[in-house]
Amino acid sequence: MGAEAAIAVGRTKLRLTVDDFDVLDRAGAFDGLGRVELIEGEIFVVSPLYTPHAAAHLELAAEFRDAVRRSGLPIQAFAPVSTRLDRYNAPEPDVIIAAITADPYVSRESALLAVEISSTSLLFDLGKKATLYAEGGVPEYWIVDVAGARVICLTEPVDGAYRQRREYLFGERITASTLRDLWIDTTGLRGG
């Protein structure tokens, strides 16, 4: 009766860890749901990818792949990949630049630049996701605002927030603040 009494007295919200999330994923619990990510111990089903988002994703993946090759830095572009920021957070950014490691996840230590494409999720990406990446110590975070035809670049994470913000219009060349040899041309985003 001890466990039943505890359950009957009040509700307890369980937070999943990234390890719990992995077990569920390997067991097929998320099959048929599409992309899922773990945010603050809760499972989020990622919005469907509509054509503006998909076009921007394809363009950015190619731009970042080429930028990494040009840079000559020991980094890799992933699009998308689960990123383990801490025990309760494994977001899946649309593109992430990371140091090359053998870890199956991109870790908070290897994450260098995270990119989220926002066609329907701008407030979430500027709010909750920005806080999450800043708390995780990701040095640079870009939000590609498809509707606004702009890229918002956030840098200098301190106490769960980014201190610096720059904005670029689609069609401009953007150089990463924290990876000086890494730049992309956003001209191709105009059609997305």
Side-chain angles (χ1 to χ4, degrees):
M1 174 153 149
E4 291 173 0
I7 292 171
V9 171
R11 294 184 182 159
T12 302
K13 185 175 183 179
L14 291 176
R15 289 177 65 194
L16 296 177
T17 66
V18 175
D19 292 335
D20 298 331
F21 184 75
D22 285 344
V23 168
L24 289 169
D25 185 42
R26 281 193 297 275
F30 309 130
D31 291 355
L33 292 179
R35 288 176 42 207
V36 294
E37 55 188 357
L38 187 68
I39 307 292
E40 295 183 351
E42 295 183 45
I43 299 166
F44 280 73
V45 177
V46 179
S47 299
L49 296 180
Y50 299 108
T51 54
H53 186 287
H57 191 261
L58 184 63
E59 179 65 26
L60 285 170
E63 278 294 325
F64 276 108
R65 181 202 62 219
D66 293 346
V68 164
R69 288 179 181 162
R70 276 192 312 268
S71 76
L73 298 169
I75 57 177
Q76 179 140 5
F78 298 98
V81 68
S82 295
T83 303
R84 184 188 292 247
L85 295 178
D86 59 34
R87 185 173 181 201
Y88 298 106
N89 290 291
E92 194 170 287
D94 290 297
V95 178
I96 193 160
I97 307 301
I100 298 170
T101 69
D103 192 341
Y105 277 94
V106 168
S107 67
R108 72 183 291 151
E109 295 81 17
S110 66
L112 302 169
L113 189 159
V115 180
E116 294 285 356
I117 300 168
S118 296
S119 56
T120 60
S121 59
L122 185 61
L123 293 178
F124 187 73
D125 292 336
L126 282 170
K128 175 72 76 184
K129 283 277 183 93
T131 300
L132 189 69
Y133 289 125
E135 287 175 345
V138 177
E140 193 159 355
Y141 171 48
W142 295 6
I143 301 107
V144 178
D145 175 10
V146 175
R150 64 185 174 152
V151 179
I152 303 162
C153 302
L154 305 175
T155 57
E156 297 183 33
V158 176
D159 297 327
Y162 286 98
R163 294 187 345 178
Q164 296 296 318
R165 177 180 170 141
R166 297 174 293 135
E167 292 190 22
Y168 299 89
L169 298 177
F170 286 3
E172 294 185 78
R173 177 175 157 164
I174 304 173
T175 300
S177 293
T178 57
L179 298 163
R180 290 288 178 195
D181 294 326
L182 189 87
W183 59 270
I184 65 165
D185 180 4
T186 64
T187 302
L189 292 173
R190 288 182 182 166

